[in-house]
Amino acid sequence: MPGTFTSVSASWTEPAATCTATDTFASFWVGLDGDGTNTVEQTGTEADCDGGAATYQGWFEMFPAAPVFYDNPVEPGDAMSASVVADGGGAFTLTLTDSTQGWNQTTNQTSDTAQLGSAEVITEAPSDGTVLPLSDFGTVSFTDATADQTAVGNQNPSALTLVSANDVTEATPSALTGGNAFTVTWDSSGTAGTTGTTGTPAPAPTATATTPGTGIPPGRHHHHHWFAG
């Protein structure tokens, strides 16, 4: 959602990736900036497939810098929560918690160029120069989605559907429930790994979790150019 935002948070259940021989990737995160701004301050998790085996990790990223991955264990079904808070003067606190595994990672970062132009809750295929193939993550459920410490439904949000360059739907967000909860569902008809475009607005959270990365410099980034607002 465009505007000026100083905090965003959400919780989700880490989904299980269904793997084939193709390496695939899916990211679930909350963040500030990115809608018309050149930075993104974000933290979340991955559900990736590497050589047919599923792997799960937590991370934070101060785009355009590369993401930093945590060594803490993440497993399907884990209760995750994340927040990004702008503390003022270009300082940020990024927190990722896995209450199932019993760990919390809080990092303090700075950005001289952050404009706090948007807040988002996202599911996407990350980028490595081009958009990577999207993992089959089934459905991910987000709850307690807030922006500026109020339910995202109070912030005039809109939803984005992840669509391939061939105009094939890859993942779809639901409408908001109770103003702060929604799901994103992987679509088996999608053609993953192609540059994505935005979908149509719909009621959903601070940047509903589903747009793909486009035009990102090499280095496996989670930033994309389109956000729900």
Side-chain angles (χ1 to χ4, degrees):
M1 57 182 68
T4 300
F5 295 91
T6 58
S7 68
V8 61
S9 64
S11 299
W12 65 93
T13 301
E14 181 72 9
T18 299
C19 298
T20 64
T22 302
D23 290 351
T24 57
F25 307 85
S27 298
F28 316 95
W29 54 270
V30 306
L32 296 173
D33 271 319
D35 185 3
T37 60
N38 294 325
T39 67
V40 190
E41 303 81 40
Q42 55 189 322
T43 187
T45 60
E46 297 277 306
D48 301 337
C49 294
D50 182 5
T55 62
Y56 305 90
Q57 281 184 289
W59 52 270
F60 78 88
E61 181 176 0
M62 298 290 289
F63 182 86
V68 176
F69 289 89
Y70 296 125
D71 292 331
N72 306 78
V74 177
E75 297 293 340
D78 284 2
M80 307 300 307
S81 59
S83 66
V84 176
V85 178
D87 301 313
F92 291 85
T93 301
L94 301 93
T95 304
L96 182 66
T97 302
D98 186 331
S99 59
T100 303
Q101 301 288 342
W103 59 262
N104 171 278
Q105 287 280 5
T106 298
T107 181
N108 296 303
Q109 300 291 319
T110 59
S111 170
D112 294 332
T113 55
Q115 299 177 46
L116 308 180
S118 60
E120 46 273 343
V121 178
I122 296 290
T123 295
E124 66 169 358
S127 173
D128 186 10
T130 59
V131 181
L132 297 167
L134 179 66
S135 295
D136 175 0
F137 58 86
T139 297
V140 58
S141 297
F142 289 96
T143 59
D144 300 321
T146 70
D148 285 355
Q149 301 181 9
T150 186
V152 294
N154 297 328
Q155 299 277 13
N156 191 31
S158 42
L160 297 178
T161 298
L162 194 158
V163 179
S164 75
N166 298 325
D167 202 30
V168 176
T169 298
E170 296 188 344
T172 305
S174 71
L176 279 173
T177 301
N180 67 356
F182 68 105
T183 62
V184 180
T185 302
W186 180 83
D187 193 321
S188 60
S189 65
T191 305
T194 54
T195 301
T197 60
T198 53
T200 25
T206 340
T208 88
T210 64
T211 43
T214 59
I216 312 304
R220 178 108 174 260
H221 288 282
H222 301 90
H223 166 67
H224 56 70
H225 290 165
W226 300 101
F227 297 90

